[in-house]
Amino acid sequence: MTDVARVVVVDDDRAIRWVLERALAQPDLEVETVDRADRALERLLEAPPDVLVTDIRMPGIDGLDLMAKVREVHPELPVIVMTAHSDLDSAVASYQGGAFEYLPKPFDVDEALSLVRRAVAHARERRRPVSVPEGLDAEIIGEAPAMQEVFRAIGRLSHSHITVLINGESGTGKERVARALHQHSPRAGKPFIALNMAAIPKDLIESELFGHEKGAFTGATAQRQGRFEQADGGTLFLDEIGDMPAETQTRLLRVLADGEFYRVGGHTSVKVDVRIIAATHQNLETLVEDGRFREDLFHRLNVIRVHLPRLSERREDIPRLARHFLAEAAKELATDIKVLTPEAETHFTRLPWPGNVRQLENTCRWLTVMASGREVLVEDLPQELREPGATQGNTGDWRVAFRDWADRALAAGHTHLLEEAVPDFERILIETALKHTGGRKGEAAELLGWGRNTLTRKLKTLLPALAEGE
């Protein structure tokens, strides 16, 4: 096998072809670009490259059709699919067709080069890429990079029965992801049963999970199947697993190890085939260290971990999520769909949303009922979301606010962030230090950890009005 790998890029966007042609111009890579899939198809069938990089939406044959036709003849060819439509359906459709990787636009050229190199290595190892079924739940919306990682995980796990642990704050959508994992797994035709550990009284959890026999306790007037039996062949979603009592943890571990259990009050074992998806907003490692969660159970559950970001970490998704929830609320309440004004939409993206996606969904439902006009103004929002401090958050940690600012700036297309942030950062510190010293520059320099000359130089650049005099 030659040391130089051949890469074919198919995209009708001249700028994308230009960027990739130069980014992939490496000594070990030979790059060819084509503007249409139908023009590339015949040559790809006759002389397949080491890696194919293709856009999805193009005139004539689209990228998914191109991938399908080429992979019928060359099933081991790794294909990297690009799309400007960074939604879950695109991600899943790409994996369904056997894509090696999914690259949402706009992308970092270093990331694209890294992906191509990985695909070359993959081709040389003769491994087949993972395929997944199409049509994941459209309610899982996310163009943010963190959500793209969630989409990738769902796609890669779609042929698996493996245990999954989902972690994320309350309201981030853990059950929706669990349902998507089930719906696009080999168990899709079997039940999906959800149980929230935090919502069940401690003395009823074992009965809920494992069922009970008639007469097992007061009120047990008939035999009852538990959630494990109800989920046989399918998926059992255990939400807030960190709240499971210690004795139930022991029984759960035994079921995961043996695949069988006894109903409460029973003497005959019940055998089941259940996939477990667990979720928590807590740090299970900390609970293990504190002795509140069994370490062996933690390792049983923590086979594959999927992390869901806070809504404040994916602000670019807020407008699309809001539109979706407003449409859903209008359908549910049989009324007209409300529309956010640009000012309201911008305000939404700046709010801290401590309740995450659930809070946003409930706010959209509230607005559908309470906003008087079809257009939603900032003034229509609940009082707690429109008062001056609403967009500042209440964490008390400047790092959180600074991180949010950086997220918003980058999402809005800003560049050279350090040139913008560092002078403001230093200016604020200087002003605050001078305030604390009553304007005495020598003491202010000491508070900041600078020499007097450094402070004088900074003042001339940043605060010339304060540079003169003592």
Side-chain angles (χ1 to χ4, degrees):
M1 182 178 290
T2 179
D3 289 333
V4 177
R6 181 166 158 254
V7 182
V8 172
V9 176
V10 183
D11 197 312
D12 61 328
D13 187 327
R14 180 184 299 176
I16 294 293
R17 296 198 306 274
W18 186 89
V19 166
L20 285 176
E21 192 169 25
R22 280 148 185 79
L24 302 178
Q26 305 291 320
D28 58 337
L29 298 176
E30 175 188 313
V31 185
E32 176 186 346
T33 62
V34 187
D35 62 350
R36 290 176 64 103
D38 46 11
R39 291 175 184 160
L41 180 58
E42 185 175 349
R43 186 169 179 192
L44 288 170
L45 292 175
E46 290 177 357
D50 292 280
V51 178
L52 170 62
V53 183
T54 180
D55 191 24
I56 288 185
R57 302 191 182 185
M58 294 179 287
I61 301 174
D62 70 18
L64 297 180
D65 287 338
L66 174 65
M67 177 169 61
K69 292 177 186 296
V70 174
R71 284 178 54 78
E72 282 179 10
V73 181
H74 305 290
E76 295 181 355
L77 172 65
V79 181
I80 297 172
V81 174
M82 303 179 292
T83 178
H85 305 274
S86 306
D87 54 34
L88 186 52
D89 287 341
S90 296
V92 173
S94 302
Y95 286 118
Q96 164 66 19
F100 171 75
E101 190 53 279
Y102 165 78
L103 185 63
K105 298 177 183 177
F107 52 78
D108 183 270
V109 291
D110 291 334
E111 180 187 3
L113 176 59
S114 175
L115 276 182
V116 168
R117 291 198 185 284
R118 278 172 40 206
V120 169
H122 170 91
R124 290 174 177 173
E125 292 167 6
R126 312 298 288 171
R127 292 178 186 161
R128 297 192 56 136
V130 178
S131 62
V132 302
E134 61 184 347
L136 280 180
D137 188 349
E139 290 187 14
I140 306 178
I141 291 168
E143 297 180 2
M147 288 305 295
Q148 291 294 310
E149 287 303 313
V150 174
F151 294 172
R152 289 189 177 99
I154 293 171
R156 290 185 177 123
L157 289 167
S158 64
H159 279 181
S160 173
H161 299 269
I162 201 165
T163 301
V164 179
L165 176 62
I166 304 170
N167 75 296
E169 291 184 0
S170 295
T172 49
K174 295 187 286 293
E175 183 168 345
R176 284 181 175 171
V177 171
R179 286 186 183 276
L181 285 165
H182 170 75
Q183 290 165 3
H184 304 282
S185 76
R187 298 173 178 264
K190 298 294 184 178
F192 174 87
I193 303 296
L195 187 64
N196 188 323
M197 297 291 103
I200 302 171
K202 187 175 178 180
D203 55 350
L204 294 180
I205 283 183
E206 292 207 7
S207 175
E208 283 289 331
L209 279 172
F210 308 114
H212 60 252
E213 299 289 353
K214 180 179 179 180
F217 50 81
T218 302
T221 57
Q223 184 191 79
R224 180 181 180 276
Q225 283 191 345
R227 304 304 174 94
F228 265 98
E229 284 181 86
Q230 294 170 16
D232 191 21
T235 302
L236 178 59
F237 174 54
L238 299 177
D239 199 4
E240 298 305 347
I241 191 77
D243 290 320
M244 179 177 279
E247 56 271 21
T248 311
Q249 293 178 32
T250 302
R251 288 200 67 182
L252 176 60
L253 182 64
R254 212 170 291 135
V255 177
L256 294 178
D258 303 335
E260 58 183 29
F261 59 90
Y262 292 89
R263 299 188 191 99
V264 176
H267 303 287
T268 304
S269 67
V270 180
K271 197 164 185 65
V272 291
D273 171 24
V274 173
R275 179 196 196 182
I276 296 293
I277 299 178
T280 181
H281 73 282
Q282 301 178 72
N283 187 320
L284 287 188
E285 287 93 336
T286 301
L287 296 184
V288 169
E289 291 173 6
D290 294 345
R292 293 157 55 198
F293 199 86
R294 291 188 60 126
E295 184 174 7
D296 43 7
L297 178 57
F298 167 70
H299 290 303
R300 277 273 184 183
L301 296 173
N302 191 39
V303 180
I304 298 290
R305 186 180 294 209
V306 176
H307 173 71
L308 295 190
R310 299 191 303 269
L311 186 55
S312 62
E313 295 173 335
R314 43 182 295 224
R315 294 185 181 277
E316 56 265 64
D317 291 337
I318 290 174
R320 189 175 169 198
L321 283 165
R323 288 192 291 271
H324 171 77
F325 290 138
L326 287 169
E328 286 292 297
K331 181 179 177 182
E332 174 190 334
L333 300 168
T335 187
D336 293 336
I337 299 175
K338 305 287 185 180
V339 178
L340 296 177
T341 61
E343 294 77 16
E345 191 171 280
T346 299
H347 186 80
F348 264 43
T349 63
R350 293 174 177 169
L351 289 168
W353 298 112
N356 294 298
V357 177
R358 184 183 295 127
Q359 182 188 8
L360 176 60
E361 181 178 12
N362 290 338
T363 299
C364 290
R365 186 177 286 112
W366 186 93
L367 288 168
T368 299
V369 175
M370 302 299 292
S372 54
R374 182 172 178 271
E375 284 195 325
V376 176
L377 310 175
V378 174
E379 292 74 23
D380 293 323
L381 294 175
Q383 179 66 33
E384 66 273 13
L385 296 183
R386 56 185 161 91
E387 55 195 21
T391 60
Q392 301 302 315
N394 57 359
T395 64
D397 189 341
W398 66 269
R399 298 170 185 83
V400 174
F402 187 59
R403 186 185 299 274
D404 287 345
W405 170 81
D407 280 342
R408 291 196 303 273
L410 290 172
H414 291 203
T415 58
H416 304 290
L417 251 61
L418 284 173
E419 294 177 11
E420 181 179 348
V422 172
D424 285 344
F425 179 76
E426 292 184 338
R427 187 180 298 110
I428 290 168
L429 285 176
I430 291 170
E431 289 174 337
T432 306
L434 288 170
K435 175 184 173 184
H436 277 262
T437 64
R440 293 183 292 276
K441 296 171 185 173
E443 293 178 24
E446 187 176 344
L447 288 178
L448 294 169
W450 284 343
R452 174 64 183 265
N453 290 340
T454 300
L455 177 60
T456 301
R457 188 177 69 253
K458 294 283 187 181
L459 280 170
K460 288 179 180 177
T461 305
L462 301 171
L463 294 162
L466 299 178
E468 299 299 326
E470 192 57 34

